[in-house]
């Protein structure tokens, strides 16, 4: 029996209602960005065969589950977040047989698989949209998207003032089959990503069927892309502001976080709960937990103005987890960190869902680089900053994150301490927002550079055929090979921390932390059987010894009653 699948944390998460408990409560979930993880066929692009070959690495790292960014058939206008067919695999990533083999192998190793679901929009190459355009005005398929006549004398102006998240208007004008300018369609992201009209029953039916397709394939859950965007305010009203960027994330918008989205997730939850928990090798555990229904999860990617609004997505009859983007955006500052930790825990407690923690993903600057720069630069940063400082803080931030109650997300390569590649030449960039955002944002390619597995060799072991984005020189020194077994390496720090979390379930359990008195710039808090001390200042600070050092993000020496906590360092103590 593998310890991974058989450990729902019911016994340790005392403050969550029973219906919300399960393996995900304190899980460490690893994000694989398939095109940049490992290339199995040597074409320079990562693929499912590559991921499958590296599952033992993930098992060894100790994570509970793997979330894969989209691998479906797609023209790749937004790296797969533009899906043309939700039930097939893009040939660049493999086949359905590869997906099946990957899911089976993962389960054999005791790893769960979460796939990405993209329900807010399809690709403009999706059959519905292609036919909607080809059939012209009056096509019934147009009702499954948002087609509208333009404003102005000849319909030459967009139907409303909404802007695309990637920059420019959120509307594109179509050309009718007879060659004359026609209606406009809505796309909150790139023009190649038309938004579905979720008021149309065929859209809801289709996604229920897609959920079942992947649940039947055996997946353990879905990360739901733009979960806050599916429902738009009735009548698609103007925003009335020319500063949409400022409002985004700070206000409820007519196209984001509308209350109607919750009904959709309640209907999805019913479907997930019908499915039995996936069985791993060796049959049910002695407690018989594996045969329980449920165990398949929904995770919301919902950028909302407050953690309280995020909590709405994880009420007991909706999703299981939601990303905590407020945490991801917090500066390396004790007071700010304490505040966001408290607010996050307080917001989730009433709904009984686990709080989640995340520092990096494929849309934002890696936290090593974020912390290497001054605060306040946002989540897409163009400067490398002070690399040593960034790595030191990133390691400390990771130990802090993994000592908090709830579930933690790790983005591929952060366990190697990879920085963002901030000097990619413009001509190799592929992020659509880079081309539309006019210099405001659009630097997501920097965190998507294929990861190094070996010191040398073609693309540092990523694959035999180079890599779709150039890897910087010296990348091999950060590779898995270079760091494996290396005392003090970032990879070994992650391995030890995740193993310690598994060995001491108290670390991830519960829904609260007990703050202890701490000098300015430090965080000191108790967890069952542990104390965690974090020095966010740039200077060493002497504090009383708290027990036995279990793990520290930089070397520490205790001499009797006191310890000098180095700058930007986290220490875990057993008490
Ligand atoms: C969020 C995804 O994480 C991002 O990569 C994508 O561009 C947008 N949603 C649109 O699907």
């Amino acid at each position: 029996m593998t310890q991974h699948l058989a450990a729902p944390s019911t016994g340790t998460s005392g403050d969550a209602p029973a219906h919300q408990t399960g393996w995900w409560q304190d899980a460490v979930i690893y994000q694989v960005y398939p095109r940049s993880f490992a290339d199995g066929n040597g074409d320079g692009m990562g693929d499912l065969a590559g991921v499958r070959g590296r599952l033992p690495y993930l098992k060894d790292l100790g994570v509970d589950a793997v979330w894969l960014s989209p691998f479906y058939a797609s023209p790749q206008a937004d790296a797969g977040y533009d899906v043309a067919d939700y039930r097939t695999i893009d040939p660049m990533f493999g086949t359905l047989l590869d997906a099946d083999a990957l899911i089976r192998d993962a389960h054999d190793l005791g790893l769960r698989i979460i796939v990405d679901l993209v329900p807010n929009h399809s690709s403009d190459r999706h059959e519905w949209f292609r036919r909607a355009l080809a059939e012209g005005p009056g096509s019934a398929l147009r009702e499954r998207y948002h087609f509208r006549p333009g404003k102005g004398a000849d319909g030459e102006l967009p139907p409303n003032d909404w802007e695309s998240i990637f920059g420019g208007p959120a509307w594109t004008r179509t050309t009718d089959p007879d060659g004359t300018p026609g209606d406009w369609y809505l796309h909150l992201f790139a023009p190649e990503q038309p938004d579905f009209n979720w008021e149309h029953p065929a859209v809801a039916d289709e996604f229920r069927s897609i959920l079942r397709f992947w649940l039947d394939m055996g997946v353990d859950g879905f990360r739901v892309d733009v979960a806050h965007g599916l429902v738009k305010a009735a009548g698609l009203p103007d925003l009335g502001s020319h500063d949409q960027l400022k409002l985004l994330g700070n206000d409820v918008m007519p196209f984001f976080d509308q209350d109607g989205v919750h009904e959709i997730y309640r209907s999805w939850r019913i479907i997930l709960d019908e499915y039995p928990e996936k069985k791993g090798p060796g049959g049910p555990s002695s407690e018989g937990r594996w045969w329980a229904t449920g165990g398949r999860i929904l995770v919301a990617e919902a950028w909302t103005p407050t953690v309280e609004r995020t909590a709405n997505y994880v009420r007991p009859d909706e999703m299981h987890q939601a990303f905590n983007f407020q945490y991801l955006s917090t500066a390396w500052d004790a007071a700010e960190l304490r505040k966001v930790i408290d607010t996050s825990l307080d917001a989730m407690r009433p709904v009984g869902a686990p709080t989640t923690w995340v520092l990096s993903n494929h849309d934002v600057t890696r936290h090593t680089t974020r912390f290497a720069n001054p605060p306040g630069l946002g989540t897409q940063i163009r400067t490398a900053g002070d690399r040593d400082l960034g790595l030191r803080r990133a390691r400390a931030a990771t130990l802090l994150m993994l000592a908090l109650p709830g579930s933690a997300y790790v983005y591929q390569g952060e366990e190697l301490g990879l920085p963002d590649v901030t000097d990619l030449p413009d001509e190799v960039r592929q992020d659509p927002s880079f081309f539309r955002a006019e210099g405001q944002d659009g630097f997501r390619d920097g965190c998507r550079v294929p990861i190094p597995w070996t010191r040398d060799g073609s693309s540092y072991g990523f694959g035999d055929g180079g890599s779709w984005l150039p890897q910087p020189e010296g990348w091999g020194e950060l590779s898995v090979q270079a760091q494996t077994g290396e005392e003090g390496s970032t990879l070994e720090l992650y391995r030890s921390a995740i193993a310690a979390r598994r060995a001491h379930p108290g670390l991830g359990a519960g829904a609260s932390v007990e703050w202890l008195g701490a000098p300015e710039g430090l965080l000191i808090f108790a967890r069952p059987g542990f104390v965690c001390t974090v020095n966010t200042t740039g200077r060493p600070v002497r504090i009383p010894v708290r027990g036995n050092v279990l793990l520290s993000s930089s070397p520490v020496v205790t001499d009797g009653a006191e310890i000098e906590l180095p700058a930007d360092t986290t220490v875990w103590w057993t008490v």
Side-chain angles (χ1 to χ4, degrees):
M1 169 65 48
T2 134
Q3 54 181 336
H4 295 267
L5 284 178
S9 53
T10 324
T12 51
S13 306
D15 3 22
H19 55 260
Q20 284 291 72
T21 56
W23 66 268
W24 64 90
Q25 197 81 27
D26 57 0
V28 178
I29 301 178
Y30 185 96
Q31 180 188 359
V32 163
Y33 195 62
R35 52 169 52 216
S36 304
F37 187 65
D39 174 12
N41 66 358
D43 65 355
M45 182 63 70
D47 48 36
L48 296 186
V51 180
R52 190 176 166 210
R54 299 290 183 183
L55 287 174
Y57 165 78
L58 297 175
K59 160 86 177 167
D60 188 46
L61 184 59
V63 300
D64 300 280
V66 180
W67 148 37
L68 293 144
S69 281
F71 44 62
Y72 314 105
S74 159
Q76 305 290 321
D78 183 19
Y81 282 95
D82 49 320
V83 181
D85 184 341
Y86 291 84
R87 296 182 185 80
T88 59
I89 308 293
D90 197 282
M92 90 200 292
F93 293 127
T95 64
L96 275 176
L97 285 177
D98 292 323
D100 181 60
L102 170 61
I103 295 166
R104 283 172 198 276
D105 279 9
H107 287 158
D108 283 350
L109 286 170
L111 293 165
R112 294 175 193 263
I113 295 288
I114 295 172
V115 294
D116 218 307
L117 187 71
V118 189
N120 179 67
H121 45 264
S122 70
S123 157
D124 62 346
R125 309 310 299 153
H126 188 283
E127 197 202 338
W128 289 359
F129 193 77
R130 278 197 289 126
R131 283 178 44 206
L133 278 190
E135 289 171 13
S139 163
L141 287 169
R142 291 197 172 200
E143 288 161 23
R144 299 180 186 188
Y145 294 91
H146 297 279
F147 279 84
R148 293 286 185 284
K151 286 185 177 160
D154 296 313
E156 73 282 9
L157 299 173
N160 72 17
D161 65 359
W162 297 358
E163 284 165 32
S164 151
I165 309 307
F166 290 164
W171 296 89
T172 290
R173 194 167 194 187
T174 61
T175 304
D176 283 341
D178 67 3
T180 57
D183 284 346
W184 298 66
Y185 68 88
L186 176 70
H187 52 86
L188 290 182
F189 294 88
E192 295 87 353
Q193 294 167 295
D195 279 52
F196 281 118
N197 171 16
W198 270 87
E199 305 294 326
H200 197 294
V203 173
D205 283 352
E206 173 67 353
F207 273 91
R208 283 195 285 263
S209 156
I210 293 167
L211 282 175
R212 289 188 187 282
F213 178 87
W214 287 101
L215 288 165
D216 290 339
M217 284 278 290
V219 303
D220 300 282
F222 302 89
R223 175 264 189 193
V224 182
D225 188 61
V226 198
H228 53 314
L230 276 49
V231 173
K232 278 73 181 175
L236 312 184
D238 274 338
L239 194 60
S241 160
H242 297 294
D243 213 351
Q244 182 177 302
L245 272 185
K246 242 194 210 137
L247 295 177
L248 266 181
N250 296 315
D251 245 314
V252 176
M253 313 287 267
F255 45 82
F256 277 163
D257 202 24
Q258 294 289 308
D259 290 339
V261 293
H262 299 290
E263 200 184 311
I264 298 169
Y265 304 129
R266 283 194 278 271
S267 78
W268 290 7
R269 177 64 181 258
I270 292 168
I271 295 175
L272 262 75
D273 284 351
E274 283 168 13
Y275 277 76
E277 182 152 21
K278 274 315 280 184
K279 184 166 71 70
S285 70
S286 50
E287 300 92 334
R289 281 177 180 142
W290 291 16
W291 300 106
T293 53
R296 318 278 183 115
I297 67 166
L298 292 164
V299 184
E301 189 231 9
W303 294 81
T304 71
T306 61
V307 274
E308 287 78 13
R309 286 200 70 91
T310 304
N312 289 338
Y313 290 74
V314 288
R315 288 175 286 195
D317 57 350
E318 296 193 37
M319 303 214 200
H320 301 75
Q321 289 189 345
F323 291 107
N324 186 344
F325 292 124
Q326 276 82 8
Y327 187 68
L328 176 147
S329 320
T330 303
W332 182 241
D333 173 272
E336 287 186 38
L337 285 164
R338 177 169 172 168
K339 192 163 149 217
V340 73
I341 291 168
D342 278 341
T343 327
S344 306
L345 292 167
D346 289 349
M348 294 298 151
R349 202 171 293 116
V351 293
T355 312
T356 65
W357 313 102
V358 59
L359 292 164
S360 284
N361 67 31
H362 67 292
D363 287 331
V364 300
T365 299
R366 288 182 176 280
H367 62 283
T368 37
T369 302
R370 185 158 56 88
F371 292 143
N373 278 284
L377 296 182
T379 51
Q380 289 187 38
I381 299 172
R382 290 168 237 177
T383 44
D386 178 341
R387 283 245 181 124
D388 291 342
L389 175 71
L391 181 58
R392 203 167 66 230
R393 288 176 171 176
R395 290 165 55 103
T398 295
L399 280 199
L400 164 59
M401 171 172 87
L402 291 175
L404 293 172
S407 175
Y409 278 79
V410 171
Y411 175 51
Q412 66 177 39
E414 74 170 72
E415 77 279 18
L416 304 175
L418 295 186
D420 246 46
V421 181
T422 47
D423 56 358
L424 284 172
D426 289 356
E427 57 277 13
V428 305
R429 289 184 184 277
Q430 302 212 5
D431 179 359
S433 60
F434 175 74
F435 301 102
R436 290 178 61 89
E438 289 170 9
Q440 294 159 347
D441 250 340
F443 291 86
R444 299 183 300 174
D445 289 312
C447 64
R448 298 176 177 179
V449 173
I451 65 173
W453 292 91
T454 53
R455 270 210 176 85
D456 312 292
S458 163
S459 59
Y460 303 108
F462 167 66
D464 294 333
S467 93
W468 67 278
L469 278 175
Q471 298 158 302
E473 237 169 79
W475 211 225
E477 284 318 305
L478 297 172
S479 65
V480 172
Q481 183 187 42
Q483 296 197 40
T484 296
E486 214 28 58
E487 207 192 320
S489 73
T490 302
L491 177 57
E492 292 303 341
L493 180 71
Y494 270 75
R495 283 187 177 141
S496 306
I498 297 171
R501 247 176 96 97
R502 192 177 295 288
H504 306 279
L507 268 169
S512 51
V513 299
E514 185 193 343
W515 295 108
L516 306 173
E520 204 183 326
L522 268 66
L523 296 173
I524 304 184
F525 58 92
R527 308 280 301 120
F530 292 87
V531 167
C532 180
T533 54
V534 187
N535 179 6
T536 68
T537 74
R539 56 190 158 73
V541 179
R542 286 193 80 79
I543 56 165
V545 162
R546 289 291 178 167
N548 295 315
V549 174
L550 178 67
L551 211 52
S552 65
S553 65
S554 321
V556 290
V557 188
T558 53
D559 55 355
E562 285 207 326
I563 182 177
E564 188 173 271
L565 207 52
D568 302 309
T569 295
T570 297
V571 178
W572 288 0
W573 308 82
T574 49
V575 291

